[in-house]
Amino acid sequence: MTTEKLYSYYLKSRLISTDTRNISNGCIFFALKGDNFNANEFANQALEKGASFVVIDEAEFALNEYCLLVDDVLSTLQDLARYHRKQLNIPVIGLTGSNGKTTSKELVNAVLAERYKTFATFGNLNNHIGVPLSILSINDNVEIAVIEMGANHQKEIELLCTIAQPTHGIITNVGMAHLDGFGGFEGVKKGKAELYAYIKETQGYAFINRDNPNLMEMSQTAGLNKLIFYGTENGNTIKGTLKSSDPFIEVDWTNHDVSSSVKTNLTGSYNFENILAAICIGDFFDLNPEEINGGLSNYQPKNNRSQLSKTEKNTVICDFYNANPSSMTAALNNISVLTADKKTAILGDMFELGPESATQHQLIAKQANESGLNDLIFIGKHFYAFKDQFKGIFFETPAEASLYLQENGIEDNLVLLKGSRGMKLESLLQFL
């Protein structure tokens, strides 16, 4: 089965599935394998549900001519995406970073959509499976695509670049995330810089936050020469000032001596640089200030990222989609300066920190204790190890915290709810 032949099948429906629970009539089902599953076993079920073809890599499951046998299903999916990408003569913005990837992607898409037919990565489909699926979701009507790329080890961004083939690139920042896989902070910088290396090799454009010394160093090391800068100083294509962030962000910004101002629905001063990035990219693609501001002001945060929610009892900063030391520090800095009579932080463990885990949890617990908040609740075994060292209420599991919140309700507070995805802190929201 050649890629070209498989592509001819794909063009008949342009529908791909990797889950038999989501089979669309006429789709091609890719039987991927994982640590705990082998989708080759469900190939016949996919056909029965309406798939036109199934791509498999184990001959015993090739029951008929609609079962397409390949050497490796995942590689075939990635190759098909590469082939499709080469047929698309459009700008593709590759976006990565330790924090703010998804919010930045959504903001860039919201701005560009004011003028163009855009495609943006759905949710966080940003890995070695998600990026191919995203590329294969781009149809002929799309004029600009924004592809989010995530990574937790070296060479992953390099691989994703060969699939997405970005013409433009942006790294939101580099921080203390996935330290275990990257081998420390310098490893994070090296891994994220793989996007810059690809952009350099293909003579693409890079958008750089000039205020960030790590990004400046990485861009210089990569030898990038097509740079568009944004930041808070003169000399940038986009110069911005954080006007207010209590609780929503307002930004004054200037481009080409034209001044403008925008109020957003985002909370958290750490989103200021994400907003500037979206302004810079919108300006590069010739949007006027009214279009840029329209996209930003109409964007509503979701997916529990910097999302301000009013409950019957409290105002909750829902920021529990994920967490690492860098984003946790930023979130604590943010709530400490917001105006509220009473403030509470509920913090869950941070994952994938490797040997740095104990030190980083200790530092965050220390920062939380010094943030001037009224109450602190820590959840997870990593924070629990410091229960005798810091003030606050410590629980080993979210279930224990739920029981406490049911019996000791929090009311009339500004509450920060933040932790890694695996902590499932959304289970606590009903008690706040």
Side-chain angles (χ1 to χ4, degrees):
M1 176 53 56
T2 64
T3 301
E4 291 82 358
K5 183 64 174 177
L6 182 59
Y7 190 68
S8 70
Y9 294 152
Y10 158 80
L11 288 177
K12 293 178 182 178
S13 69
R14 292 181 178 258
L15 297 172
I16 301 292
S17 175
T18 60
D19 189 336
T20 53
R21 294 169 297 182
N22 298 303
I23 296 292
S24 300
N25 193 45
C27 74
I28 300 176
F29 175 74
F30 282 78
L32 297 172
K33 294 176 182 175
D35 293 336
N36 301 308
F37 67 90
N38 178 2
N40 281 271
E41 299 171 357
F42 305 106
N44 189 55
Q45 182 182 125
L47 289 172
E48 290 175 349
K49 287 188 171 184
S52 57
F53 294 96
V54 293
V55 180
I56 58 175
D57 51 19
E58 295 184 10
E60 64 184 284
F61 297 102
L63 303 178
N64 53 47
E65 68 271 24
Y66 302 108
C67 298
L68 310 178
L69 184 63
V70 299
D71 290 333
D72 181 80
V73 171
L74 176 59
S75 296
T76 300
L77 176 66
Q78 294 170 342
D79 287 342
L80 183 65
R82 290 187 184 96
Y83 191 89
H84 180 55
R85 171 65 185 95
K86 289 177 180 177
Q87 318 309 313
L88 301 170
N89 186 27
I90 60 172
V92 172
I93 302 167
L95 188 153
T96 191
S98 298
N99 301 303
K101 289 188 296 297
T102 300
T103 297
S104 294
K105 176 256 300 183
E106 295 289 341
L107 289 171
V108 170
N109 184 53
V111 167
L112 294 177
E114 291 289 304
R115 178 175 292 194
Y116 299 100
K117 293 182 177 67
T118 62
F119 172 88
T121 300
F122 179 75
N124 69 327
L125 289 174
N126 60 16
N127 64 5
H128 60 296
I129 298 172
V131 169
L133 292 176
S134 294
I135 294 297
L136 289 166
S137 297
I138 301 174
N139 62 40
D140 295 336
N141 295 323
V142 172
E143 297 173 305
I144 299 179
V146 186
I147 301 297
E148 179 181 336
M149 296 185 287
N152 57 19
H153 58 267
Q154 307 287 345
K155 300 297 184 180
E156 193 166 6
I157 295 296
E158 180 182 282
L159 168 68
L160 299 180
C161 283
T162 69
I163 299 170
Q165 300 163 39
T167 55
H168 302 71
I170 179 169
I171 301 175
T172 58
N173 51 53
V174 286
M176 306 289 282
H178 304 296
L179 298 179
D180 195 18
F182 281 114
F185 180 64
E186 288 302 315
V188 175
K189 290 169 61 178
K190 183 179 178 181
K192 298 300 182 183
E194 290 164 13
L195 174 58
Y196 285 166
Y198 182 88
I199 292 296
K200 166 65 176 177
E201 181 182 347
T202 56
Q203 292 297 301
Y205 290 86
F207 303 97
I208 310 287
N209 179 0
R210 204 177 219 148
D211 295 344
N212 190 311
N214 288 314
L215 297 180
M216 291 296 292
E217 174 198 335
M218 291 158 60
S219 65
Q220 290 163 4
T221 300
L224 295 173
N225 49 28
K226 292 183 178 180
L227 302 174
I228 303 95
F229 292 106
Y230 60 95
T232 57
E233 303 295 331
N234 292 326
N236 294 307
T237 299
I238 297 297
K239 175 187 176 183
T241 302
L242 180 60
K243 184 177 180 180
S244 176
S245 60
D246 191 5
F248 297 112
I249 300 177
E250 293 184 59
V251 174
D252 291 334
W253 60 276
T254 304
N255 71 323
H256 315 303
D257 299 321
V258 176
S259 297
S260 190
S261 183
V262 61
K263 183 175 182 178
T264 74
N265 297 300
L266 281 165
T267 188
S269 56
Y270 48 84
N271 277 309
F272 169 60
E273 60 191 49
N274 300 330
I275 292 168
L276 280 192
I279 293 171
C280 185
I281 293 173
D283 176 75
F284 179 85
F285 284 101
D286 298 323
L287 274 73
N288 60 47
E290 291 75 23
E291 291 170 319
I292 292 171
N293 289 345
L296 291 172
S297 61
N298 290 326
Y299 172 72
Q300 294 288 342
K302 52 191 176 182
N303 298 329
N304 302 310
R305 294 176 171 92
S306 304
Q307 188 174 340
L308 201 67
S309 298
K310 295 275 191 180
T311 69
E312 292 182 2
K313 300 176 182 178
N314 301 286
T315 299
V316 183
I317 302 173
C318 297
D319 199 7
F320 48 82
Y321 186 84
N322 219 335
N324 56 54
S326 300
S327 66
M328 194 75 87
T329 294
L332 285 168
N333 287 339
N334 178 60
I335 191 174
S336 68
V337 299
L338 294 180
T339 302
D341 292 333
K342 293 188 293 183
K343 303 177 188 178
T344 296
I346 302 176
L347 308 179
D349 275 356
M350 304 170 288
F351 296 161
E352 296 186 58
L353 298 181
E356 287 284 316
S357 184
T359 298
Q360 294 303 323
H361 282 87
Q362 183 182 37
L363 289 172
I364 293 300
K366 182 176 184 291
Q367 181 191 354
N369 269 253
E370 296 172 350
S371 294
L373 306 182
N374 298 90
D375 293 294
L376 298 170
I377 297 175
F378 299 95
I379 306 170
K381 64 179 182 179
H382 297 298
F383 275 128
Y384 193 79
F386 300 101
K387 63 182 175 63
D388 297 326
Q389 188 173 337
F390 297 104
K391 294 179 181 178
I393 304 170
F394 290 77
F395 300 101
E396 289 191 275
T397 68
E400 293 173 3
S402 295
L403 291 174
Y404 172 83
L405 290 173
Q406 290 178 63
E407 297 173 0
N408 304 272
I410 296 174
E411 293 188 8
D412 301 320
N413 268 246
L414 175 63
V415 181
L416 169 64
L417 187 59
K418 186 165 182 65
S420 280
R421 179 86 287 274
M423 292 301 296
K424 299 180 180 179
L425 295 187
E426 64 272 16
S427 63
L428 306 181
L429 192 56
Q430 61 183 310
F431 307 118
L432 298 173

